Amino acid sequence: MGKFYITTPIYYVNASPHLGHAYADVLSDVLARYCRLSGDEVFFLTGTDEHGAKNVRSAEAAAENVEDFVRKRREVFVKLAKVLNISNTDFIYTSDDQRHWPGAQLLWKKIQEKGDIYKGTYKGLYCVGHEAFITEKDLEAGKCPDHNEVPQLLEEENYFFRLSRYAKEIESRIKNDELRIFPEARKNEILAVIGEGLRDVSFSRPSKDISWGIPVPGDHTQTMYVWCDALSNYLTALGYGRDDDGNFKKFWPADVHVIGKEILRFHAAIWPGMLLSAGLPLPKSILVHGLIQSGGRKMSKTLGNVVDPFELVSKYGAESLRMFFGKEIPVFSDGEFTGERFEEAHESNLVNGIGNYVKRVATMISNYFEGVLEKPEDALIASVPFKKETALSSQLSNADEKLEYLSIPYFIERNVWPKYHVEMKNFEINKAAETIFSLLKELDGYVQDYEPFKLVKTDKEKARVILWNLAYGAVSLAWMLKPFMPDTSDKILDTFSVDGKTGSEWRAFKIKTNEALFPRI
Ligand code: MSP
C-alpha cells in the first residue's frame, strides 16, 4: 500500500473535446482505478488549460467574453469526465485565481530567487496553435503543418527561463530512469533533443499583447507564458503555494504524468528544468501515449476529422468506449478509429464475448443447479482441467508445472493474474486487456471441450465441477475488467453474488440476476 499521484494533461478549452481527449482521460482512469484496487491511495488529477492566446482567439471568434467562454467550455470537459465515468479526485483550471495562481506565482518566485529568470528580447515566430515559439525549419510552405496557419512574427521584451543551465542534469535523470520515460523509444527521442542542447525559454509575454493569464510576480506589465502557467497545475492542485498544502506534502512527486507524444518536450525538458531550479523533486515517470487517428491522420479540430465522444457514449455506453480504448488502441503507438472498427469491437468483444459467456454460464447454473454452486473439493476441481494446452500455459517449459496449470483456478491465479499485473505496472493496458480476452477464449474453449449442457444428463456431478470452474473464470474476468469497465464488472460480480468490495475467497456462487450486459446495436 502506497500513494499514487497520476495526472492527465490539462486540456485547452478552445474547442470541444474529441476522442483524443477522451482517450487520455480513459487511459489515466484505467491506471488510477487499477492502483486503487491494488490498495494504493490515489490522487488523480485532471483539468483545463484556460489562458493564452489560443483561448482568447476562440472566445473572440465566438463573440463572447473570455471568462464566460472558458467557463462554459470547461463545463463540457467536466461533463466528459463524468460521462466517461472518470474517477478523478480533483479538477483544476488555470483561471482559478484562488487555487491555481498562488502556487504558479510561488514557483516563478522560487525560480527567480535561484537567478534563473532574466529579461531579454525575443525575436521569432510564434504559433498560437502550439502556444509556442517555432522555427523556420518547423514550417511547410510558410505554415505550421500541425495547425495549418502562418505563425506570428514577434519581437518583444520577455522574461526568459535559464533552461540551458539544467540540460545536463535533466539528461542524466532521464538516462538513469530517475525520471523514467515510457516507452523507451520516447526516452531516446527526448535524449536526442536534449543532447543537441537546450536553449533558454521565453517565459512571459507583454501584458499589453496578452493580458489573459497570470501576472508575473512583481511586474504586471508581463503575463506568464501559458506553458509555464499550465505545467504548474500539477503542483497547485495539491495545494502548493497555499496554506492547505497537505496533499502537496503527501503526494508530490507525481508517480506518472500521462501525456500525448506531441507535448513530450514540455514535460520532459522544460518541466524538469523548472522543478530542478525551484529545488523540487521531479516526477517519477512520464507515460507518453500515441495518438488517435482518423483517416490515417491525428484526430484534431484543425484537420477537421474529429469524432464526438458524447455521441458514441450515448449510442454504445461509456463502458464500450472505455474497453475500445483499453483493448484496441495500443498505448505506445498511434491507433486508428473508425466507426466500423468500433462497432465490430463492441459486437465481438462485448456482446458476443464477455456478455455471451457470462449469460451462458449463469443460465446453465440456474437451469441445472437451481442457481447455486457450492465450492467442490480441490481434488475434484483439478480433475477437470483444460483438455488442451492453453495459449498461456504453452509458454511454460516444465511438463509437471504445465499439467498443474491446466486446472482453471490454478491457471488463473498463477499464470493469468501475474501476467496481467506486469502489463498493468508497465502501463501497457492494451496488453492487459489482451490477456483478459485470451482468458475468455480459453474459457469458451473449455465449454466446447466438455459440453456441460450435454454432460449434465449423463454425469451431473462432473458438470457441477465444470460449471464451478466456469463461474470462477467469469468472476476472475470481472475483477480483471474492473479498471476498464467498472459497471460491467460490478454487474458480473452481482450476477454471481460476489461482493465487489472485498476479494475474499469464494465459497459459493449464487445466481442473482442474469440480464444481458450489453445492448446489441
Ligand atoms: N494544454 C496543453 C497541455 C498542458 S499540460 C500542462 C495541451 N492541451 S490539448 O488539449 O491540446 O491536448 C491535451 C492532451 O490531449 C495532450 O496530451 C494531447 O496529446 C492529447 N490529444 C489531443 N489530440 C489527440 C489525439 N488525436 N489522440 C490522442 N491524444 C491526443 O496540449
Side-chain angles (χ1 to χ4, degrees), residues 9-12 18 20-21 23-24 49 227 230-231 233-234 259-263 267 289-292 298-299:
I10 51 172
Y11 306 105
Y12 288 129
H18 58 65
H21 306 118
Y23 177 68
D49 189 352
W227 270 98
L231 287 162
N233 91 88
Y234 300 132
I259 61 163
K261 65 181 185 186
E262 71 286 37
I263 56 175
H267 284 81
H289 62 77
L291 300 177
I292 305 283
K298 174 191 173 183
M299 187 175 285

Side-chain angles (χ1 to χ4, degrees), residues 141-280:
K143 289 180 173 179
C144 162
D146 293 339
H147 297 97
N148 194 28
E149 66 178 24
V150 179
Q152 301 168 343
L153 179 63
L154 299 179
E155 181 167 2
E156 59 189 31
E157 187 153 86
N158 291 169
Y159 285 104
F160 282 74
F161 167 50
R162 212 180 294 281
L163 177 62
S164 55
R165 183 188 245 182
Y166 298 96
K168 279 272 157 292
E169 184 63 19
I170 299 167
E171 186 178 33
S172 110
R173 302 277 186 116
I174 294 178
K175 252 189 195 150
N176 67 22
D177 288 338
E178 268 176 74
L179 167 54
R180 187 155 175 208
I181 315 276
F182 291 85
E184 196 71 12
R186 297 282 167 223
K187 170 178 170 179
N188 296 333
E189 177 187 317
I190 193 68
L191 283 174
V193 172
I194 298 171
E196 281 174 18
L198 290 178
R199 300 231 304 259
D200 293 349
V201 196
S202 158
F203 241 32
S204 70
R205 306 281 317 271
S207 310
K208 66 176 176 40
D209 298 326
I210 177 99
S211 61
W212 176 241
I214 307 180
V216 163
D219 182 357
H220 288 197
T221 67
Q222 292 274 324
T223 305
M224 265 187 210
Y225 171 45
V226 65
W227 270 98
C228 156
D229 160 352
L231 287 162
S232 63
N233 91 88
Y234 300 132
L235 303 176
T236 62
L238 297 179
Y240 179 76
R242 285 185 273 135
D243 291 339
D244 55 338
D245 63 354
N247 277 332
F248 175 69
K249 294 196 176 104
K250 184 164 173 188
F251 287 102
W252 191 257
D255 291 270
V256 58
H257 291 313
V258 176
I259 61 163
K261 65 181 185 186
E262 71 286 37
I263 56 175
L264 174 61
R265 196 170 53 90
F266 296 98
H267 284 81
I270 300 180
W271 181 228
M274 290 166 71
L275 293 166
L276 286 169
S277 170
L280 292 170

Side-chain angles (χ1 to χ4, degrees), residues 364-373 456 460 463-464 467:
M364 286 191 276
I365 299 173
S366 298
N367 291 352
Y368 313 142
F369 299 99
E370 274 124 40
V372 184
L373 286 181
V456 70
K460 196 164 178 185
R464 187 196 299 276
L467 278 169

Side-chain angles (χ1 to χ4, degrees), residues 36 93 115 131 204 236 256 312 325 351 364-365 381 399 410 425 440 494 513:
R36 241 180 249 126
Y93 53 96
E131 289 286 11
S204 70
T236 62
V256 58
L312 278 182
F325 283 150
V351 181
M364 286 191 276
I365 299 173
I381 292 175
Y410 198 88
K425 291 201 168 101
L440 173 66
D494 202 43
T513 57

